[in-house]
Amino acid sequence: MEMRKLALKILSHMSRALGMDVNEMEDLFTNGVQSIRMNYYPPCPEPNKTIGFTPHSDADALTILYQLNETEGLQIRKDGKWVPIKPLPDAFVVNVGDIMEVYRSSFSVSNPVYANGTLC
């Protein structure tokens, strides 16, 4: 229940930052599906022999991740390269998922698209 409260609080702050109605964001996710998955990646003496997740994006609205130890398992793609995220003690990592990207695109200001110098 506490993670649900945290997720709704984060969504509330995101809606304000995006100039959205806070109630609209809350209505979208208040009665939604909530799931929890736990993965544990202990420090490994031979990290090149480990098997992790394949590169992916998170399909949900938010992923709230607690990195339990100093293992740098989480990576983000930046400038075409995978970059490890150094765990911060007693902190959560919040990933914005695909569903938020789709929703954000539905109310964002559109811009013109040009192909070969011609407005499409």
Side-chain angles (χ1 to χ4, degrees):
M1 191 52 105
E2 294 301 315
M3 290 303 287
R4 181 178 179 78
K5 288 180 188 175
L6 175 61
L8 289 173
K9 190 69 166 174
I10 292 168
L11 288 168
S12 172
H13 287 293
M14 286 176 62
S15 65
R16 280 192 212 103
L18 293 170
M20 293 175 56
D21 179 3
V22 175
N23 294 325
E24 182 181 356
M25 180 73 82
E26 189 173 303
D27 289 345
L28 285 172
F29 295 104
T30 297
N31 295 316
V33 174
Q34 177 181 349
S35 64
I36 294 178
R37 177 178 68 198
M38 294 184 189
N39 300 305
Y40 177 62
Y41 297 103
C44 179
E46 299 180 73
N48 58 331
K49 293 185 178 180
T50 61
I51 299 173
F53 287 112
T54 58
H56 66 279
S57 61
D58 296 335
D60 48 19
L62 293 177
T63 297
I64 302 172
L65 175 67
Y66 178 70
Q67 294 178 287
L68 182 64
N69 54 39
E70 304 300 316
T71 303
E72 292 182 1
L74 177 65
Q75 296 182 341
I76 61 168
R77 193 158 175 93
K78 182 178 179 188
D79 300 326
K81 296 180 182 178
W82 289 101
V83 180
I85 301 300
K86 184 166 180 56
L88 296 174
D90 301 318
F92 289 107
V93 174
V94 179
N95 293 333
V96 177
D98 296 341
I99 198 72
M100 288 301 294
E101 192 64 29
V102 168
Y103 184 73
R104 185 190 64 81
S105 296
S106 71
F107 70 86
S108 65
V109 177
S110 61
N111 55 316
V113 176
Y114 290 87
N116 297 327
T118 304
L119 181 62
C120 297

